[in-house]
Amino acid sequence: MFRCFFPDEYVDSTYMIDFEKLYQEGYRGLIFDIDNTLVPHGAPADTRAIALFRRLKKLGFGCCLLSNNQKKRVASFNDAVQVNYIENAHKPSVRNYNRAMEILGTNTENTIFIGDQLFTDVYGAKRAGIRNILVKPIDPKEEIQIVLKRYLEKIVLYFYEKEEGIS
């Protein structure tokens, strides 16, 4: 019933992902959500995010930010990390996941999406046929509509963890 929302992988933080291993496995494109995936909601790119993108580019990854935020927010974040981006993405719509892969010159076989929300990030990536990694939100302080979705996410994650044998 909830399987369409189950992540392919669930980790504590974007900054704990073994990107070197993913590169060795043949992945070449990384698509990221911004808020609560890379930085707290609304925060500018910090030194950790800047260092991450510098490292990813050095490894050979193409990177694209895919955000439902407006251009001002996404462009200001991107000023510090200097990757491709798509704002106002309407996730979980598949259209801009596909557009991100076009920009990166990648496909569903060698692209990974990383985000913090099941019903937008993971669901959209699954619909687009992209491997996805769900990360725990960086900051519990969120807008009310996201707080409400988090309650529903807890139900889905309960069944996900039960099925995966995670306790």
Side-chain angles (χ1 to χ4, degrees):
M1 178 168 136
F2 294 122
R3 289 194 63 72
C4 63
F5 300 112
F6 286 3
D8 294 326
E9 195 174 334
Y10 186 29
V11 299
D12 286 338
S13 167
T14 299
Y15 300 97
M16 296 176 72
I17 297 170
D18 188 345
F19 290 104
E20 288 79 4
K21 181 180 178 206
L22 294 176
Y23 193 85
Q24 289 171 354
E25 291 173 358
Y27 292 96
R28 295 298 180 262
L30 300 172
I31 305 172
F32 289 91
D33 176 53
I34 299 172
D35 287 324
N36 261 340
T37 298
L38 294 165
V39 293
H41 188 81
D46 56 19
T47 55
R48 188 166 69 157
I50 294 166
L52 174 67
F53 283 101
R54 189 177 302 125
R55 182 174 130 227
L56 295 174
K57 288 184 232 176
K58 191 174 182 181
L59 282 171
F61 281 109
C63 300
C64 186
L65 305 172
L66 186 65
S67 176
N68 284 347
N69 278 302
Q70 299 304 307
K71 184 169 181 126
K72 182 179 177 184
R73 163 68 178 135
V74 181
S76 67
F77 181 90
N78 191 56
D79 283 344
V81 299
Q82 294 294 303
V83 295
N84 299 288
Y85 69 88
I86 299 170
E87 78 281 349
N88 197 21
H90 300 286
K91 293 179 289 182
S93 171
V94 171
R95 182 173 161 258
N96 284 312
Y97 288 86
N98 290 330
R99 189 167 151 230
M101 287 186 286
E102 285 174 27
I103 290 168
L104 295 172
T106 60
N107 58 49
T108 58
E109 300 297 312
N110 62 2
T111 305
I112 297 179
F113 182 88
I114 298 126
D116 70 297
Q117 292 190 54
L118 286 177
F119 303 126
T120 52
D121 299 329
V122 169
Y123 183 54
K126 286 183 92 68
R127 291 178 62 218
I130 303 171
R131 178 177 168 188
N132 59 82
I133 301 174
L134 177 69
V135 298
K136 291 181 181 172
I138 290 174
D139 187 357
K141 185 179 151 200
E142 298 179 295
E143 296 172 341
I144 188 66
Q145 71 271 18
I146 296 172
V147 170
L148 297 173
K149 283 195 280 186
R150 294 287 185 205
Y151 288 111
L152 297 173
E153 284 184 354
K154 284 182 182 179
I155 295 166
V156 174
L157 287 171
Y158 167 81
F159 288 103
Y160 165 76
E161 290 172 350
K162 188 174 178 183
E163 188 168 302
E164 294 293 314
I166 302 168
S167 51

